[in-house]
Amino acid sequence: RKAPFQTVCTTSVLPCSFHPAAAAVMTKLRRTLPLTVAFCPSGSSLSFPRRPATCASLSDRRRTPSPSAPSCRSSSGCAAPGVFGGAARRSAAASSPLYSAAGCDQADPDDPSSFLFGILGDLHIDPRKMSDYITGREDWLPILHGAAASHGNVALVSLGDLGESKNCDHNPLLPTELFAGTTPCHEAAAEYLGSFGVPYEVIGGNHDLEGIDEFDSDEENLRVFMRSHGKPTPQFCRLVAEKTIMVGLGSTVFREAKYTSHEVIIDEEQIAWFEEMLQKHPAEDGWKIFMFSHAPPNGSGLRVLQENHVVNGCCWLNHSDEANCRRFIELVREHRSIKAWFSGHFHLGQDYQDSITFPSIPIEEGPYPNRGSCVFAQTSVMRSGTSRDGRQQSRLLRGNKDGFEICTVDHQKGGEVR
């Protein structure tokens, strides 16, 4: 926390795509932070279930093991790192053409503390327009599989808004039905995210409960969303290494929103769970937490769209609830274990100066514009038709016991990593 920050100009985007069989329905700144991270590798087969399990809490993993790989558990109850790891995988990494060609995981293949996450912004899948997704996935595969062959601590995260909010010729019986939030939408997204060949996590965005013609309530819509992705709860947590976890919070309200249906609302139950989780995993004990949500917290300092999200009350998490809107940045300031927070929602590229923001003042000088020990990072989109500024980008998070890097993957430049 006290070490000086090092800022590096960088921008990169990873294209994402998937096998055609699934298509039927289906920065400018980079920051290196000083961290101390130690991971526990675990050997297993590269085979994995289509949807890796999520956990409602660190003590309740609810993991569905791979048919070919035993479930790995830590003392905290989360699935342990190294789903693809182990000495055999790491020893093979040096000769792996995927690993060497990707050039994006620069950690020692024998270092069990290494990890790598792929982070995808708003997908807005349209089953009629899959080429950008196919291209994007092919750009990701060398990166993800190279890291999987090296150290095994790999995961993919989707930040929500999985389907296009328009009719996509998906339901001949109801030609006016929106694709977003429907059963075919969530099944297509699960098929796509599962096709990357690594475990994935997903959280709900403001369009993921938009199946208003198919479902009568948010609860019914949410159950289908969670069932499609094997989620026991709207949130997730994943232990990726010793003292290092991923946490995601998902929107659970659409029809019942007080002001606008497109506000990203984290319900009280999730907030209570989040607060308890933070209290049990303090920075003083060496914990590092990487956060994921569809919209950013107010106070993050990220670029927003005044004329769209701000004026309509759907810009930040729990935008219309002043107390809960403010609560997230207060938790970031209070809990220095939160090291980075990734969000999407705005469909903006990652090349702006305020596409990523950094901790600004020491803890003793708070509160404003105190961002704790957290780096906030905006995540762009993959498909050209969903971009507001023409950029097609994703985020890459990689690190080890010495720190981590936030990079851009440029889908318009063959998956170039910057």
Side-chain angles (χ1 to χ4, degrees), residues 116-240:
L116 184 146
F117 309 149
I119 304 162
L120 308 182
D122 302 36
L123 288 177
H124 287 291
I125 289 175
D126 184 332
R128 304 165 301 177
K129 303 173 182 179
M130 298 305 301
S131 63
D132 283 345
Y133 302 106
I134 294 171
T135 300
R137 186 186 69 107
E138 295 308 315
D139 288 337
W140 268 112
L141 293 184
I143 296 166
L144 295 172
H145 292 182
S150 172
H151 50 70
N153 301 319
V154 184
L156 185 72
V157 181
S158 170
L159 297 176
D161 274 11
L162 302 176
E164 184 68 289
S165 184
K166 61 178 66 172
N167 181 268
C168 297
D169 300 327
H170 61 284
N171 186 356
L173 299 179
L174 189 59
T176 59
E177 181 183 52
L178 304 180
F179 185 61
T182 62
T183 297
C185 168
H186 291 308
E187 290 178 347
E191 190 71 23
Y192 177 63
L193 293 170
S195 73
F196 282 70
V198 299
Y200 80 87
E201 302 285 358
V202 61
I203 41 141
N206 55 295
H207 287 285
D208 292 316
L209 302 182
E210 202 173 8
I212 55 177
D213 291 316
E214 181 179 359
F215 306 106
D216 293 328
S217 67
D218 289 342
E219 290 76 12
E220 185 182 1
N221 210 159
L222 183 62
R223 282 196 296 271
V224 170
F225 166 73
M226 293 192 297
R227 184 178 69 234
S228 298
H229 299 282
K231 294 174 64 64
T233 63
Q235 70 267 28
F236 72 80
C237 70
R238 174 180 288 271
L239 179 68
V240 294

Side-chain angles (χ1 to χ4, degrees), residues 41 46 84-94 96 99-100 105-112 114-115 143-154:
L46 190 61
F84 305 102
R89 288 287 171 195
R90 291 195 302 276
S91 64
S96 169
Y99 182 86
S100 58
D105 186 349
Q106 300 166 356
D108 182 348
D110 294 320
D111 182 359
S114 298
F115 64 89
I143 296 166
L144 295 172
H145 292 182
S150 172
H151 50 70
N153 301 319
V154 184

Side-chain angles (χ1 to χ4, degrees), residues 56-104:
S57 71
L58 291 179
S59 62
D60 185 9
R61 182 60 186 165
R62 294 187 179 95
R63 178 180 174 83
T64 303
S66 167
S68 59
S71 175
C72 303
R73 290 185 180 271
S74 71
S75 59
S76 68
C78 271
V83 175
F84 305 102
R89 288 287 171 195
R90 291 195 302 276
S91 64
S95 59
S96 169
L98 289 176
Y99 182 86
S100 58
C104 62

Side-chain angles (χ1 to χ4, degrees), residues 206-336:
N206 55 295
H207 287 285
D208 292 316
L209 302 182
E210 202 173 8
I212 55 177
D213 291 316
E214 181 179 359
F215 306 106
D216 293 328
S217 67
D218 289 342
E219 290 76 12
E220 185 182 1
N221 210 159
L222 183 62
R223 282 196 296 271
V224 170
F225 166 73
M226 293 192 297
R227 184 178 69 234
S228 298
H229 299 282
K231 294 174 64 64
T233 63
Q235 70 267 28
F236 72 80
C237 70
R238 174 180 288 271
L239 179 68
V240 294
E242 185 180 44
K243 301 283 188 178
T244 305
I245 56 179
M246 302 163 58
V247 174
L249 301 174
S251 187
T252 57
V253 178
F254 185 81
R255 297 156 186 81
E256 300 171 10
K258 185 176 181 180
Y259 296 108
T260 171
S261 295
H262 291 291
E263 182 179 357
V264 181
I265 299 176
I266 309 301
D267 57 73
E268 294 285 353
E269 185 176 353
Q270 285 187 82
I271 294 175
W273 169 86
F274 183 40
E275 291 177 339
E276 181 181 5
M277 186 275 298
L278 290 173
Q279 291 168 1
K280 292 181 178 179
H281 302 87
E284 292 76 11
D285 290 347
W287 287 97
K288 294 92 182 170
I289 298 171
F290 296 102
M291 291 297 306
F292 305 88
S293 63
H294 182 68
N298 194 357
S300 63
L302 293 176
R303 174 174 290 246
V304 301
L305 293 172
Q306 295 283 343
E307 71 281 4
N308 189 341
H309 300 96
V310 176
V311 299
N312 290 316
C314 59
C315 186
W316 301 288
L317 295 177
N318 295 38
H319 187 133
S320 65
D321 183 335
E322 183 177 351
N324 277 335
C325 185
R326 185 175 62 248
R327 187 65 183 132
F328 297 103
I329 195 64
E330 291 174 342
L331 290 170
V332 168
R333 292 167 179 167
E334 179 182 355
H335 297 279
R336 297 304 174 111

Side-chain angles (χ1 to χ4, degrees), residues 29-81:
L29 295 174
R30 179 182 65 190
R31 183 64 167 258
T32 301
L33 300 178
L35 297 175
T36 302
V37 182
F39 296 128
C40 302
S42 173
S44 70
S45 169
L46 190 61
S47 176
F48 65 99
R50 184 189 76 172
R51 166 68 181 125
T54 59
C55 57
S57 71
L58 291 179
S59 62
D60 185 9
R61 182 60 186 165
R62 294 187 179 95
R63 178 180 174 83
T64 303
S66 167
S68 59
S71 175
C72 303
R73 290 185 180 271
S74 71
S75 59
S76 68
C78 271

